[in-house]
Amino acid sequence: MNKQTEEFMSRLALPPKGWAEVGKPHPHESAQLHVTGEATYTDDIVELQGTLHAALGLSQKAHAKIRDIDLSKVKASPGVVAVLTAADIPGENQCGAIIKDDPVLADGLVQYVGQPIFIVVADSHDNARRGARCAVIDYEELEPILTPRAAHAAQSYVLPPMHLTRGAPAAALAQAPHKLKGQFDVGGQEQFYLEGQISYAIPKEGRGMHVYCSTQHPSEMQHHIAHVLHVASHDVLVECRRMGGGFGGKESQSALWACAAAVAAVRLRRPVKLRADRDDDMIVTGKRHCFAYDYEIGYDDNGRIVAARVDMVSRAGFSADLSGPVATRAVCHFDNAYYLSDVEIHAMCGKTNTQSNTAFRGFGGPQGAIAIEYIIDEIARNLGKDALEVRRANFYGKSDADGPDARNTTHYGQKVEDNVIHALVDELERTSDYQARRQAIAAFNAGNEVLKKGLALTPVKFGISFNVPHLNQAGSLVHVYTDGSVLVNHGGTEMGQGLNTKVAQVVANALGLPLERVRCTATDTSKIANTSATAASTGSDLNGKAAQDAALQIRARLAQVAAKRFNVEVADVRFADGLAIAGEQSLAFPDLVMQAYLQRVQLWSDGFYSTPRVHWDSKTMNGHPFFYYAYGAAVAEVVIDTLTGEWKLLQADLLYDAGESLNPAIDIGQVEGGFIQGMGWLTTEELWWNKDGKLMTHAPSTYKIPAISDCPAQLRTALFKNSNVSDTIHRSKATGEPPLLLPFSVFLAIRDAVSAVGGHRVNPPLRAPATSEAILDAVDAVRAAAATQ
């Protein structure tokens, strides 16, 4: 677009007063389809005649060489049509997200229990699974590494360690009035999407391949499939209408399933569906990275941190996958909402003989921020202060402050703009009656030996953008038909988060239409090319802006047609409520569209958006990796039983900065969903591998996600009134990942309750997740320590 067109479109971008489709709490565009069961997921697609079903043959050893493999019983199993190994892959046997260290099928070496070795194709899903269990494999076992601390001790990493230093932390630590040294461990988390991993590959004419895939990243699936089939990207079409949840687990790791299905389909020239059973899905796929921390902190009498040193080691698994970017985001979020003047951070991605861990909502941000919250909680207890007081002492300073004492620049060099954390926390402290409840809990604990209550208020500052700058781009197509209806396609994927609803609202708002006149279609690599993953909380930011760009171009053309009809200046034309309006004159949108069509005006357009200002130097760990920050805070009140370790969340008060919300109903749902999911990570969702490296928590019977009974009787959620200072879509802010950090308040409220056992004189060594066993261990430790004082 030229400058004149841009100026014209910017004038049109303001809807008439009193009308807007953005900002309304519209229901999810597929809500009724979800409830009635009509919504089509990948497994619901009507199967073509001749469709076969695949299953994966998995390693039973954590680390071993394959001496011999006998697949004769597999081939003879009822219904089996073919058995494929790495030798049957026509192209590259790789599906590594960044580094080529992740084979589709293991070839001679297995590196975790559950690693795929072969593909079984049969006439039914059950027959394929039964056949996959008939292989006879002779292993030469090797010594496995199973924990991040063991990997660190062995200097076993999937990537070189990362280092970030600001100021003079060693000198500042030496001079600090108070010092703190300790360790902390936080577990991983299974994504537990309701719809498991699934791909349905259909061979087309020539070298073509159409793959329906439950994935957050259709373009990456297209690239991987093209590579394993040794064809060009234009030969592969990947389509995803919706996912039954993703949470990061379908960003890179849907590649294995897509590639395996495509290899089988091209080999047999028949459609092949590969749907993972829940147990297989959990055993094969990676999870949120668990982290182990060693820290040294210096602080003053007010609890203000003057020096910080932390080593953080993640369990990467056997390959790199996305561990590098996850560790980078953990480093960048170690500060959370706090200014760190002198800091030294070392981040290591430990190579272990376990599933290759991957993206999970928050993408390392929660693992970085939980450490500093644990540390501040410890500082407060050491000083005999309320942790909220210590948090305030460490908050970033005002965004507009200048000079050496401004305290508003992060440890990676980005200035903190739009810092509303002070006002947001003040509002939550007041609306949640924090101080009165703190006193009431102290009185309750004084009169109860067995039950103890705890309370915590924790803040969130979360950076929004991919920390790989080139991923911050998106495209869209908008079609206006002669009946005035509108069809939108964009590069984002719908996984239940309401992305299509928000994008449709943006387009409807731009064209002055009611929402029901706009529809979004399935994500399709043949429509929008080279898309980024729907991840990093950027779905609405990127795709909303791209769709708006396309819609405004069409509106500009329609405005010219309307101006001629009304005999007015183009700038006098407005679009609202299904009408084109100029003064007292108006014309129904469909009639205007038909007139434009008869005048041969283009009624479709493409749109594009790239996020400005983001840049990052991975060598120096310095830059401006985030377009803006989202803020929030939560208060949690819990009660624990010191005899059993059982606990209950009694009340949670959540306040979140969504900017000028595109859809408050969807955003509140995202805040509450993220809170409960994060609470599960920190309390009940324990991953456990046995001594042989087998994941034992691989089904709902052994892996405990939060249930309705775990939700508090009082869950109070509100959106903080704020307008994004950055030029995001309608000045909104993301709500995908940041809310997952709000339940830090739950974990630290549990720690506060445990601390009450020792009169708040002992820092409880509470690990995460804070299961009943972990709570009992911490209670015992506090009692033992208190007895010696």
Side-chain angles (χ1 to χ4, degrees):
M1 291 184 289
N2 59 39
K3 189 173 182 180
Q4 283 184 326
T5 304
E6 287 182 352
E7 290 176 355
F8 167 68
M9 287 169 57
S10 69
R11 292 199 300 273
L12 289 179
L14 296 173
K17 290 182 180 179
W19 186 91
E21 277 300 289
V22 295
K24 291 183 177 179
H26 286 290
H28 191 288
E29 51 94 24
S30 293
Q32 190 170 354
L33 302 178
H34 293 157
V35 173
T36 61
E38 192 179 344
T40 302
Y41 295 87
T42 303
D43 199 33
D44 300 319
I45 295 169
V46 177
E47 294 172 9
L48 296 175
Q49 184 176 3
T51 294
L52 298 171
H53 298 264
L56 300 176
L58 309 178
S59 167
Q60 301 304 306
K61 302 297 180 182
H63 194 199
K65 293 179 182 178
I66 297 176
R67 289 198 189 101
D68 184 59
I69 180 167
D70 181 358
L71 299 174
S72 58
K73 290 183 180 179
V74 181
K75 295 174 182 177
S77 185
V80 170
V81 174
V83 182
L84 308 175
T85 65
D88 296 302
I89 295 176
E92 191 175 36
N93 181 22
Q94 274 295 329
C95 59
I98 299 174
I99 297 173
K100 294 182 179 181
D101 62 350
D102 199 342
V104 177
L105 298 175
D107 190 8
L109 176 70
V110 292
Q111 299 188 71
Y112 73 96
V113 174
Q115 184 170 10
I117 301 173
F118 58 91
I119 306 167
V120 180
V121 187
D123 58 2
S124 72
H125 172 76
D126 287 343
N127 280 340
R129 291 193 69 226
R130 290 189 186 100
R133 282 152 175 74
C134 295
V136 178
I137 302 176
D138 182 18
Y139 299 97
E140 179 188 336
E141 291 196 60
L142 305 172
E143 188 69 26
I145 295 175
L146 299 177
T147 68
R149 291 194 185 276
H152 186 39
Q155 299 287 287
S156 172
Y157 309 121
V158 295
L159 295 164
M162 302 174 186
H163 310 285
L164 184 153
T165 302
R166 173 159 85 169
L173 187 63
Q175 299 169 11
H178 306 280
K179 297 180 181 65
L180 174 66
K181 187 175 183 179
Q183 290 187 331
F184 178 48
D185 292 272
V186 62
Q189 186 180 21
E190 163 65 32
Q191 289 86 357
F192 215 95
Y193 24 67
L194 291 180
E195 175 200 34
Q197 297 281 2
I198 179 170
S199 287
Y200 184 26
I202 303 170
K204 296 294 184 178
E205 62 184 23
R207 295 154 65 91
M209 182 64 66
H210 187 166
V211 180
Y212 295 96
C213 183
S214 184
T215 180
Q216 295 172 238
H217 202 343
S219 283
E220 184 173 313
M221 300 309 103
Q222 178 190 34
H223 299 157
H224 284 307
I225 293 166
H227 290 157
V228 298
L229 299 185
H230 196 55
V231 299
S233 290
H234 68 211
D235 292 316
V236 179
L237 189 161
V238 176
E239 183 176 341
C240 179
R241 172 61 185 93
R242 59 172 60 84
M243 284 167 278
F247 308 118
K250 296 176 181 176
E251 182 174 345
S252 64
Q253 298 219 343
S254 46
L256 167 65
W257 314 90
C259 289
V263 166
V266 79
R267 182 81 176 194
L268 299 172
R269 301 305 300 170
R270 288 173 67 178
V272 174
K273 181 188 285 189
L274 174 53
R275 173 172 62 83
D277 176 82
R278 177 67 66 182
D279 293 78
D280 289 348
D281 192 321
M282 292 184 71
I283 287 174
V284 173
T285 60
K287 295 88 176 61
R288 182 188 296 281
H289 296 69
C290 67
F291 269 61
Y293 313 86
D294 290 271
Y295 55 85
E296 291 182 85
I297 307 294
Y299 57 98
D300 64 18
D301 293 341
N302 295 317
R304 178 173 281 188
I305 295 172
V306 297
R309 185 186 183 282
V310 62
D311 290 346
M312 49 177 75
V313 187
S314 68
R315 186 204 308 263
F318 82 97
S319 68
D321 196 83
L322 297 172
S323 293
V326 165
T328 300
R329 190 168 281 263
V331 169
C332 289
H333 283 79
F334 174 68
D335 59 331
N336 194 17
Y338 312 115
Y339 177 75
L340 301 174
S341 60
D342 298 83
V343 60
E344 179 182 347
I345 305 173
H346 305 279
M348 284 70 71
C349 303
K351 181 173 182 176
T352 55
N353 293 110
T354 54
Q355 297 83 349
S356 187
N357 283 328
T358 189
F360 196 127
R361 195 175 189 174
F363 201 79
Q367 293 98 311
I370 186 69
I372 196 73
E373 291 297 341
Y374 189 89
I375 288 165
I376 283 184
D377 187 64
E378 205 142 283
I379 290 171
R381 201 166 286 107
N382 288 349
L383 293 174
K385 294 178 178 289
D386 188 327
L388 178 56
E389 181 183 347
V390 176
R391 289 189 168 92
R392 279 201 172 99
N394 284 282
F395 278 163
Y396 276 101
K398 294 181 179 179
S399 302
D400 56 358
D402 290 314
D405 299 323
R407 294 175 58 85
N408 59 10
T409 304
T410 65
H411 54 297
Y412 48 88
Q414 178 168 337
K415 186 176 180 181
V416 178
E417 299 171 334
D418 188 28
N419 183 10
V420 299
I421 198 65
H422 298 269
L424 191 151
V425 167
D426 288 348
E427 181 177 328
L428 183 62
E429 180 186 17
R430 176 179 54 81
T431 58
S432 67
D433 293 325
Y434 175 85
Q435 296 298 343
R437 288 165 66 192
R438 173 63 74 194
Q439 294 177 14
I441 286 171
F444 176 90
N445 289 339
N448 287 270
E449 286 297 317
V450 175
L451 299 180
K452 297 292 182 180
K453 287 186 177 181
L455 186 73
L457 188 159
T458 58
V460 172
K461 175 185 70 68
F462 196 92
I464 306 297
S465 288
F466 286 100
N467 51 20
V468 178
H470 74 263
L471 297 178
N472 295 289
Q473 57 177 299
S476 179
L477 287 173
V478 174
H479 292 27
V480 177
Y481 294 97
T482 54
D483 65 351
S485 64
V486 180
L487 194 68
V488 183
N489 189 270
H490 57 86
T493 53
E494 175 63 55
M495 61 193 88
Q497 84 279 38
L499 173 59
N500 284 342
T501 309
K502 286 185 173 182
V503 171
Q505 283 182 261
V506 167
V507 171
N509 196 78
L511 295 174
L513 295 173
L515 181 59
E516 61 266 22
R517 300 296 292 163
V518 181
R519 188 170 78 89
C520 289
T521 58
T523 313
D524 181 334
T525 56
S526 69
K527 293 179 180 175
I528 307 297
N530 310 318
T531 60
S532 295
T534 305
S537 302
T538 63
S540 298
D541 287 358
L542 294 177
N543 297 287
K545 275 285 194 180
Q548 184 189 56
D549 178 38
L552 289 179
Q553 291 179 57
I554 298 171
R555 193 171 87 170
R557 297 173 198 144
L558 291 174
Q560 293 177 0
V561 176
K564 275 188 188 179
R565 166 70 182 264
F566 296 144
N567 194 25
V568 298
E569 294 295 322
V570 173
D572 294 330
V573 178
R574 291 291 181 266
F575 293 82
D577 203 22
L579 299 171
I581 306 164
E584 298 300 318
Q585 303 179 81
S586 66
L587 185 65
F589 188 79
D591 295 335
L592 175 60
V593 169
M594 180 57 76
Q595 288 190 19
Y597 170 72
L598 294 175
Q599 295 174 34
R600 296 184 291 179
V601 173
Q602 183 179 332
L603 293 172
W604 62 270
S605 188
D606 63 306
F608 181 76
Y609 176 73
S610 62
T611 309
R613 299 196 303 151
V614 292
H615 58 87
W616 178 250
D617 187 330
S618 59
K619 294 180 180 177
T620 62
M621 301 287 285
N622 199 264
H624 193 287
F626 307 118
F627 189 32
Y628 64 90
Y629 295 102
Y631 299 89
V635 175
E637 181 179 343
V638 305
V639 61
I640 68 168
D641 185 325
T642 59
L643 299 180
T644 66
E646 293 177 281
W647 68 280
K648 180 72 176 175
L649 176 61
L650 301 174
Q651 180 176 329
D653 296 76
L654 317 179
L655 184 59
Y656 185 76
D657 169 27
E660 298 283 355
S661 173
L662 293 174
N663 186 315
I666 285 176
D667 284 341
I668 286 174
Q670 285 291 290
V671 171
E672 293 181 345
F675 177 82
I676 296 299
Q677 188 173 48
M679 183 181 79
W681 166 49
L682 293 172
T683 58
T684 63
E685 298 184 43
E686 185 173 34
L687 295 165
W688 180 66
W689 287 262
N690 68 13
K691 62 181 179 59
D692 298 318
K694 182 178 179 180
L695 179 68
M696 304 304 290
T697 49
H698 55 79
S701 58
T702 51
Y703 185 79
K704 299 300 183 182
I705 64 171
I708 189 68
S709 59
D710 295 305
C711 298
Q714 297 186 67
L715 179 58
R716 302 171 178 177
T717 307
L719 299 180
F720 182 71
K721 286 181 169 43
N722 188 30
S723 183
N724 199 343
V725 296
S726 297
D727 183 22
T728 53
I729 185 68
H730 292 285
R731 302 287 174 171
S732 62
K733 289 190 177 185
T735 55
E737 294 175 302
L740 196 134
L741 284 68
L742 294 173
F744 290 175
S745 57
V746 177
F747 177 77
L748 293 174
I750 293 173
R751 197 180 189 215
D752 183 52
V754 174
S755 173
V757 172
H760 299 295
R761 301 186 308 275
V762 178
N763 276 309
L766 182 65
R767 62 186 181 271
T771 61
S772 295
E773 293 85 351
I775 291 171
L776 277 181
D777 288 346
V779 166
D780 290 344
V782 168
R783 281 184 175 141
T788 64
Q789 291 182 344

